[in-house]
Amino acid sequence: MRYYLALIILGLILLSLSGCQSPSHKSENTSLRSSLNGIWQSNGYGYLLDIQPNDVRFYDITEERCQYNEEGSTLFSKLAAGGVADAVFKLKKTDRDTLIYIEPFETYPIEFMRLSNMPHRCLASVQNDPKTNFEFFADYMQTHYAFFKLYGVDWQKTVNEAKSQVDKNMSDAELFNLFSSMLKPLKDAHLALIGNVDGQTKRFQPDHSTVSKANAELAKQQGTSHRSMNKTFFKQYKKDIRDTILKNKGEVAANGWIQYGVIDLNSDNQAIGYLALMSTYNYAGSGVGHDAEDRAILTSVLDDAINEFNEQKVKAVIIDLSVNVGGYSFPAIDLANRFAAQQQLVFYKLAYDARDQNFFPEYVAPEKRSPESQFHGPVYLLSANTTVSGGEEVVLALRALPNVTHFGENTRGALSDILTKTLPNGWALDLSNEIYIDSAGNLWEGDGIPPDYYLQVFDPKNPFDGHVEAVDQVIHLINNYLQNT
């Protein structure tokens, strides 16, 4: 499932966990197209849609289990009714029994196949008790999670050992802790369990970035919270870019997620461009579900930034992704298009649980709308362990270009889009079920995407240090290269 669906559905789940009621999906269905009516099961992802003239019912389904999902019904009712701008939701021209869904501004299709009848397991009631929640949790992971072998986990053994601990009288806290212990060996940044436990929303993730881990230690030493330390780190990171790297001559844009400017090299009036991209969504400051606004802002910012680079006749551009929290997928292609001199294959993707499908290729090509907002000179890409998710897609897209050289640290290694599944008790399970490979066929999940040239970006013990020095080293390398050419 793409980021859009995962983020929207998870947002609705979090609203319900906090006590707010999500809107009824029936109110969204006033204009459903009759050609979509029927029962449809996705190829991969475990979705089932029951589309009727004035209603859409959405289910999470595996070979053994099926559960109605209110949040998914709300979202897919909008999609089927054409209520989400720039989303593609239509019948396949050559096969009227295949339904295609493509997220806004994406190319990757999710296929749904028509079923003649509703599966019997989707008609049965689902109990909300520890045993049933355990069965759904175990089955969702077994069916959809792509990387057990990568992390050396025998999931069936894990399930068998944990099953004896499930008791009908166990508390929510005990069940949450059990599920967390089962996920813990999977050091995957896209794995998470989120649920309401004793009136509070709890979140478990089995892996954190090296920066976040170091900040946790600093927080203990200083008697503050881990969350507060991470916020302080990010604030300092942005301040260092603004004040030190760009010397207060740059621009802060896109809700603070993008900074750019021109760096003078003080030799022969030469200069280089600098662009820091810290997220791949929320540029409008409105959160998830505002991808059209986010894309319009990204387009405008890239126009302005690259126009300035060209007007200042920069000799090279640094793209700093050393902190990028991810988000949507489309910014990877939108950004790489600005630096591509010709059409270029950049990566492939495939849903792990899809049947009889080939890897889907993703391409970049020069931005035709605004030729003056293109840069085809040398590009120097900087990444770190805090480059994750959608940020890693940006790395994949850029490093495939012949004019890009990749410096820094390995990225986080969480490239798969997030698939969100809801348990009977309302808890959300985020997991990785898509496989990304680069244009050469390499899988970088887990280990992260390696740079062409290793360069430590953050001090392992004190990540507040290191970033400015790393950027300075890249600038020094560029300066030496320019002086010798």
Side-chain angles (χ1 to χ4, degrees):
M1 180 172 64
R2 303 292 295 185
Y3 290 119
Y4 180 85
L5 293 181
L7 290 170
I8 292 293
I9 290 176
L10 181 58
L12 291 169
I13 290 170
L14 291 174
L15 280 175
S16 66
L17 289 175
S18 64
C20 299
Q21 297 297 313
S22 60
S24 170
H25 60 91
K26 291 184 179 182
S27 66
E28 308 292 346
N29 307 322
T30 56
S31 60
L32 289 182
R33 290 169 283 177
S34 60
S35 62
L36 303 183
N37 290 348
I39 300 168
W40 306 88
Q41 184 170 341
S42 61
N43 186 15
Y45 306 101
Y47 297 141
L48 185 136
L49 296 174
D50 181 8
I51 303 178
Q52 300 303 325
N54 294 300
D55 194 16
V56 173
R57 294 181 67 82
F58 172 83
Y59 299 80
D60 287 310
I61 189 169
T62 68
E63 290 187 5
E64 300 293 331
R65 291 170 180 81
C66 181
Q67 178 184 220
Y68 173 70
N69 185 313
E70 177 68 30
E71 290 78 20
S73 298
T74 299
L75 174 57
F76 272 96
S77 67
K78 292 181 180 179
L79 293 168
V84 176
D86 300 299
V88 175
F89 202 58
K90 63 182 180 181
L91 292 175
K92 193 174 183 179
K93 290 183 179 180
T94 58
D95 180 4
R96 308 300 285 179
D97 289 331
T98 301
L99 192 62
I100 301 295
Y101 169 66
I102 303 175
E103 278 192 8
F105 313 124
E106 307 291 352
T107 58
Y108 180 80
I110 297 177
E111 293 185 342
F112 289 78
M113 310 305 176
R114 190 190 297 272
L115 302 182
S116 57
N117 297 294
M118 178 70 77
H120 180 73
R121 59 192 181 281
C122 295
L123 300 174
S125 60
V126 176
Q127 301 300 312
N128 178 15
D129 56 61
K131 181 177 181 295
T132 303
N133 281 289
F134 179 85
E135 290 172 345
F136 270 88
F137 172 79
D139 202 16
Y140 284 151
M141 288 292 293
Q142 183 66 53
T143 301
H144 302 299
Y145 187 69
F147 301 114
F148 288 121
K149 288 184 179 180
L150 180 67
Y151 293 106
V153 171
D154 183 337
W155 183 250
Q156 192 56 58
K157 180 180 178 182
T158 299
V159 171
N160 292 340
E161 292 175 348
K163 188 181 299 184
S164 62
Q165 302 178 51
V166 179
D167 180 88
K168 65 179 181 179
N169 296 317
M170 69 190 310
S171 66
D172 284 348
E174 290 170 331
L175 188 65
F176 192 94
N177 290 338
L178 176 62
F179 291 170
S180 300
S181 69
M182 295 170 70
L183 296 177
K184 190 174 182 179
L186 296 162
K187 301 303 182 182
D188 183 337
H190 273 167
L191 263 181
L193 179 67
I194 306 108
N196 190 312
V197 178
D198 298 329
Q200 293 186 333
T201 299
K202 290 191 64 175
R203 181 185 186 94
F204 173 79
Q205 284 183 276
D207 187 62
H208 297 272
S209 71
T210 53
V211 165
S212 183
K213 291 173 184 176
N215 282 340
E217 290 300 316
L218 290 175
K220 288 180 182 178
Q221 296 170 16
Q222 298 181 21
T224 187
S225 71
H226 185 192
R227 181 183 179 87
S228 175
M229 187 62 69
N230 278 336
K231 286 185 175 181
T232 302
F233 163 81
F234 189 49
K235 183 178 180 180
Q236 183 64 48
Y237 176 85
K238 293 196 292 184
K239 184 177 185 297
D240 285 342
I241 291 174
R242 184 188 69 234
D243 297 350
T244 306
I245 295 173
L246 294 176
K247 296 179 171 50
N248 291 304
K249 295 180 181 179
E251 300 291 336
V252 179
N255 192 35
W257 292 112
I258 300 176
Q259 294 191 54
Y260 67 89
V262 173
I263 300 172
D264 295 322
L265 296 180
N266 298 318
S267 59
D268 301 324
N269 295 318
Q270 292 185 329
I272 59 175
Y274 176 88
L275 174 68
L277 186 79
M278 292 164 260
S279 171
T280 61
Y281 90 115
N282 201 27
Y283 302 138
S286 302
V288 299
H290 296 270
D291 42 325
E293 297 171 60
D294 287 345
R295 195 188 197 202
I297 290 171
L298 177 62
T299 298
S300 177
V301 172
L302 292 179
D303 283 347
D304 292 343
I306 299 177
N307 282 339
E308 180 178 349
F309 297 162
N310 287 328
E311 288 174 0
Q312 297 293 324
K313 298 181 180 180
V314 302
K315 301 299 182 181
V317 170
I318 296 173
I319 299 179
D320 191 345
L321 299 170
S322 55
V323 170
N324 188 291
V325 300
Y328 295 128
S329 295
F330 65 79
I333 305 301
D334 285 5
L335 180 60
N337 285 344
R338 303 304 186 109
F339 301 94
Q342 60 187 12
Q343 187 181 58
Q344 179 88 36
L345 172 69
V346 290
F347 58 81
Y348 301 88
K349 68 176 294 185
L350 175 69
Y352 160 77
D353 49 353
R355 296 179 179 177
D356 301 319
Q357 278 194 352
N358 297 320
F359 275 93
F360 184 84
E362 293 280 3
Y363 294 87
V364 298
E367 169 67 69
K368 295 180 180 179
R369 179 193 57 80
S370 181
E372 68 277 8
S373 296
Q374 294 278 300
F375 182 85
H376 299 146
V379 175
Y380 296 82
L381 173 64
L382 187 64
S383 72
N385 185 255
T386 35
T387 311
V388 66
S389 193
E392 294 181 274
E393 288 187 57
V394 181
V395 173
L396 280 185
L398 285 169
R399 76 196 301 267
L401 304 180
N403 56 322
V404 175
T405 304
H406 183 188
F407 286 89
E409 305 167 1
N410 283 35
T411 65
R412 184 77 166 278
L415 290 97
S416 168
D417 294 355
I418 297 171
L419 176 64
T420 298
K421 291 295 175 180
T422 309
L423 302 180
N425 62 3
W427 294 354
L429 172 65
D430 286 350
L431 56 89
S432 301
N433 86 313
E434 289 181 334
I435 300 169
Y436 279 78
I437 57 176
D438 67 15
S439 56
N442 298 303
L443 173 71
W444 300 119
E445 193 79 26
D447 291 334
I449 306 166
D452 298 318
Y453 302 98
Y454 179 81
L455 177 66
Q456 182 176 294
V457 179
F458 298 107
D459 186 310
K461 294 185 178 180
N462 181 11
F464 286 78
D465 294 335
H467 175 240
V468 171
E469 291 78 10
V471 174
D472 282 344
Q473 288 186 60
V474 176
I475 294 171
H476 179 71
L477 290 168
I478 296 172
N479 198 14
N480 285 345
Y481 169 78
L482 292 174
Q483 288 181 356
N484 293 314
T485 55

